[in-house]
Amino acid sequence: ETGVTQTPRHLVMGMTNKKSLKCEQHLGHNAMYWYKQSAKKPLELMFVYNFKEQTENNSVPSRFSPECPNSSHLFLHLHTLQPEDSALYLCASSQEGGASRDTQYFGPGTRLTVL
Amino acid sequence: SQKIEQNSEALNIQEGKTATLTCNYTNYSPAYLQWYRQDPGRGPVFLLLIRENEKEKRKERLKVTFDTTLKQSLFHITASQPADSATYLCALGDYGQNFVFGPGTRLSVLP
């Protein structure tokens, strides 16, 4: 286990549902990240939190809403998603999230299917 | 626009041979480059980091080179084993907030 856990591992939801993805890191890191990985596409960075503050939002639609209550926990709240949002959502953490980004430790991901 | 390419979507090699994976970039000035391994259904796992002022890094059977003139990194796995079969991702970061992954190369080591 990498020290970064994600729940649930699999999620199927309808376009009108509201759900949340959870990530927890046990590594004492200060930065956490959400990535989206779609088939045949590179990993896409969605959000970065550094010391609980959001430092990056890469033009992510508002139907994805992140929350970082503390340095160990990160949530991704989902509502009114589209089928094209179906993907593997990966959480990662690193010691710091500023310039010269550190080695990132990834969780196992949540496989999301939007019907 | 910034672009990262990895030599091929898939690479098949025979067990015992050296696998060489390529990461090329354009319109980018990376301060460092990382290589990750990803197995199906799992998150990427960090392997090696090389900085712009370093030419080569080694770790056990792994070797990474970084040529900022050619805008290229090579990732070598010597004495490859079937257990090395996975997707390998390169990722580039600069001195700002830019950090981006390449599309990955799926390596299959055949027994």
Side-chain angles (χ1 to χ4, degrees):
Chain A
E1 194 60 60
T2 61
V4 180
T5 58
Q6 288 187 244
T7 55
R9 293 295 308 276
H10 300 272
L11 178 62
V12 179
M13 59 187 289
M15 289 192 285
T16 58
N17 291 159
K18 288 185 181 180
K19 297 286 184 183
S20 295
L21 309 184
K22 179 182 176 182
C23 175
E24 184 173 0
Q25 58 96 359
H26 312 274
L27 301 168
H29 289 164
N30 297 307
M32 297 187 77
Y33 312 79
W34 279 117
Y35 286 89
K36 175 183 178 182
Q37 189 173 38
S38 305
K40 308 278 186 188
K41 292 177 71 174
L43 275 166
E44 300 171 57
L45 180 62
M46 300 174 71
F47 301 103
V48 180
Y49 277 83
N50 205 18
F51 294 92
K52 301 190 300 178
E53 299 296 321
Q54 187 180 125
T55 55
E56 280 184 58
N57 174 341
N58 286 328
S59 305
V60 180
S62 60
R63 57 185 184 270
F64 295 92
S65 175
E67 179 189 359
C68 187
N70 54 61
S71 293
S72 299
H73 293 85
L74 185 65
F75 296 89
L76 188 63
H77 304 298
L78 316 171
H79 64 97
T80 59
L81 294 192
Q82 305 298 312
E84 59 265 28
D85 296 323
S86 298
L88 181 68
Y89 288 84
L90 289 159
C91 173
S93 72
S94 69
Q95 188 60 46
E96 291 186 21
S100 191
R101 200 154 288 173
D102 268 345
T103 301
Q104 295 181 40
Y105 294 81
F106 284 83
T110 295
R111 173 67 63 187
L112 174 67
T113 303
V114 182
L115 302 176
Chain B
S1 61
Q2 296 172 348
K3 192 174 182 181
I4 302 175
E5 292 178 320
Q6 294 193 236
N7 54 323
S8 57
E9 191 174 323
L11 179 65
N12 296 328
I13 65 164
Q14 209 65 38
E15 182 177 6
K17 301 291 186 184
T18 296
T20 299
L21 285 66
T22 304
C23 178
N24 294 295
Y25 58 92
T26 54
N27 297 322
Y28 204 88
S29 296
Y32 61 94
L33 187 148
Q34 300 177 349
W35 283 90
Y36 288 79
R37 167 184 173 141
Q38 186 174 22
D39 291 285
R42 308 283 295 272
V45 175
F46 171 79
L47 297 174
L48 281 166
L49 178 150
I50 186 165
R51 300 195 183 278
E52 61 172 343
N53 60 348
E54 298 174 314
K55 295 293 185 188
E56 183 179 298
K57 268 281 184 70
R58 290 176 185 263
K59 179 182 175 183
E60 297 171 353
R61 294 184 295 111
L62 308 180
K63 184 177 86 171
V64 172
T65 63
F66 193 11
D67 189 326
T68 54
T69 301
L70 292 178
K71 296 185 183 297
Q72 180 183 79
S73 174
L74 299 179
F75 177 78
H76 306 274
I77 306 175
T78 58
S80 60
Q81 305 165 1
D84 296 325
S85 298
T87 295
Y88 291 86
L89 308 169
C90 67
L92 280 69
D94 61 19
Y95 289 107
Q97 301 279 41
N98 284 320
F99 183 80
V100 60
F101 278 88
T105 296
R106 189 174 66 253
L107 174 68
S108 296
V109 180
L110 308 173

